[in-house]
Amino acid sequence: MIPVNTPLLDGNEKKYLLECIESGWISSEGPFVERLEREFAARVGRRFGIAVSNGSAALDAAVAALKLGAGDEVIMPAFTIISCAAAVVRAGARPVLVDSESSTWNMDAAQIAARITPRTRAIMVAHVYGLPADMDPILALARRHGLAVIEDAAEMHGQTYRGRPCGSFGDLSTFSFYPNKLVTTGEGGMIVTDDAALAERCRSLRNLCFQPRRRFVHEELGWNFRFSNVQAALGLAQLERLDEFVARKRAMGARYSRLLAGIPGLRLPAARTDYAESVYWVHGVVLEPQLRFDAAEAMRRLGEAGVGTRPFFWPMHRQPVFERMSLFPGERHAVAEMLGERGFYVPSGLALTEAQIETVAQRVRELLA
Ligand SMILES: Cc1ncc(COP(=O)(O)O)c(C=O)c1O
């Protein structure tokens, strides 16, 4: 089986992990945590980095740090991971959905203005799969209406928008370090910001909101979203190689696109827009409507042929948990629905070999012949 993801851990990972073990620093108090926060924030041009236990926790903390809650609305894409909407719903606020562009699969900036109401407090942007969302119009709208921006850059390590790093656009921007990400720590995440007060709030929320002067006294409820020195050791070794990883992903993306070109009924991911080159976090493909089977059937058959796959996200307005809450009654978001039904991605991990890419492409070609 060619796995859908295998990370590359052959840099300084072992060396830094050994330092943790030999020094005894394994908790969140260890020195690598602060170093990773500093170096990761610098890499995306931000003043502060706050490492947390995963990318979903980063979104929960970001929503809480901005004090979004009952009566507030947060505009976000219909097509994203549930972590985005879950953070908003858990805070007691309401997610307001916007459909995707059919070209980049990101939230369609042109549809946002129509969703703004007097209750709108924030726009949550999530860049998906390879290309960033079109940030300039989104930031202009946010400025005009006094809205906060949460930028979910979980998948966009090393990516840029018009030359500026993804992760540099939100009042708070978040990342994930899950093993399929370009920088992995096993589990992990990061919040970055330029705002000292927001950074301080995130630090407090990450650590149960301990009162600074008297530990075990709490003015507010936080979480244990702490990040360990062991995770940070991995993260530092990974971050050192980010440019190399981006180049490798782009080369893999170009190879897949070449090998999969011209297959009838198969839509390939956009390689670029006028503002960015895809970083091919994953190589996502979409089955055109004329094909007689959907993504689930394609993935089943590819699995039988030894190729690991994952389905695309399932749109928020069609999530059973949100249907039961009557959050999005009668809403339709045609592009998000099409992507959920007809999209999946092929093996895309950094350790994938050229021979494996060729095998995967051959299996996909046979499937659709
Ligand atoms: C866009 C996006 N946001 C958030 C997350 C959540 O990150 P984590 O799995 O670290 O909780 C992911 C995970 O893949 C993601 O793709």
Side-chain angles (χ1 to χ4, degrees), residues 55-78 80-98 107 119-126 148-152 172 174 223 225 316 321-322 325 327-328:
S56 305
L59 289 165
D60 278 313
V63 166
L66 290 167
K67 300 189 177 166
L68 301 173
D72 297 335
E73 293 179 355
V74 179
I75 295 177
M76 67 173 61
T80 182
I81 193 162
I82 197 154
S83 314
C84 298
V88 170
V89 171
R90 283 204 194 97
R94 197 168 88 82
V96 173
L97 305 181
V98 168
M107 174 157 74
R119 291 175 298 282
T120 309
R121 291 273 318 280
I123 303 175
M124 183 185 278
V125 184
V149 173
I150 299 174
E151 180 193 10
D152 180 358
L172 292 159
T174 62
W223 296 271
F225 284 164
M316 292 308 105
V321 60
F322 294 147
M325 297 164 102
L327 267 185
F328 312 113

Side-chain angles (χ1 to χ4, degrees), residues 199-273:
E200 205 36 56
R201 254 187 84 64
C202 289
R203 280 184 205 289
S204 176
L205 287 161
R206 166 180 74 176
N207 192 22
L208 299 169
C209 292
F210 280 112
Q211 225 186 46
R213 275 171 296 115
R214 175 60 171 89
R215 211 172 163 82
F216 303 110
V217 176
H218 307 263
E219 304 275 354
E220 218 185 317
L221 293 181
W223 296 271
N224 176 356
F225 284 164
R226 296 188 300 261
F227 180 84
S228 79
N229 204 49
V230 177
Q231 292 168 294
L234 282 173
L236 276 168
Q238 292 267 296
L239 185 61
E240 287 170 357
R241 298 175 70 189
L242 179 53
D243 290 334
E244 174 197 337
F245 289 168
V246 168
R248 200 175 167 109
K249 281 277 193 187
R250 289 202 167 121
M252 286 168 47
R255 176 172 288 265
Y256 261 134
S257 294
R258 213 167 41 247
L259 293 169
L260 295 173
I263 300 181
L266 188 72
R267 241 175 78 194
L268 301 180
R272 63 185 55 81
T273 62

Side-chain angles (χ1 to χ4, degrees), residues 53-59 80-84 125-129 152-155 174-178 180-181 186-189 281 313 345:
S53 43
N54 54 67
S56 305
L59 289 165
T80 182
I81 193 162
I82 197 154
S83 314
C84 298
V125 184
H127 313 294
V128 294
Y129 297 165
D152 180 358
E155 307 170 358
T174 62
F175 287 87
S176 163
F177 297 143
Y178 189 71
N180 57 8
K181 304 305 189 298
E187 299 286 349
W281 168 59
F313 297 132
Y345 61 88

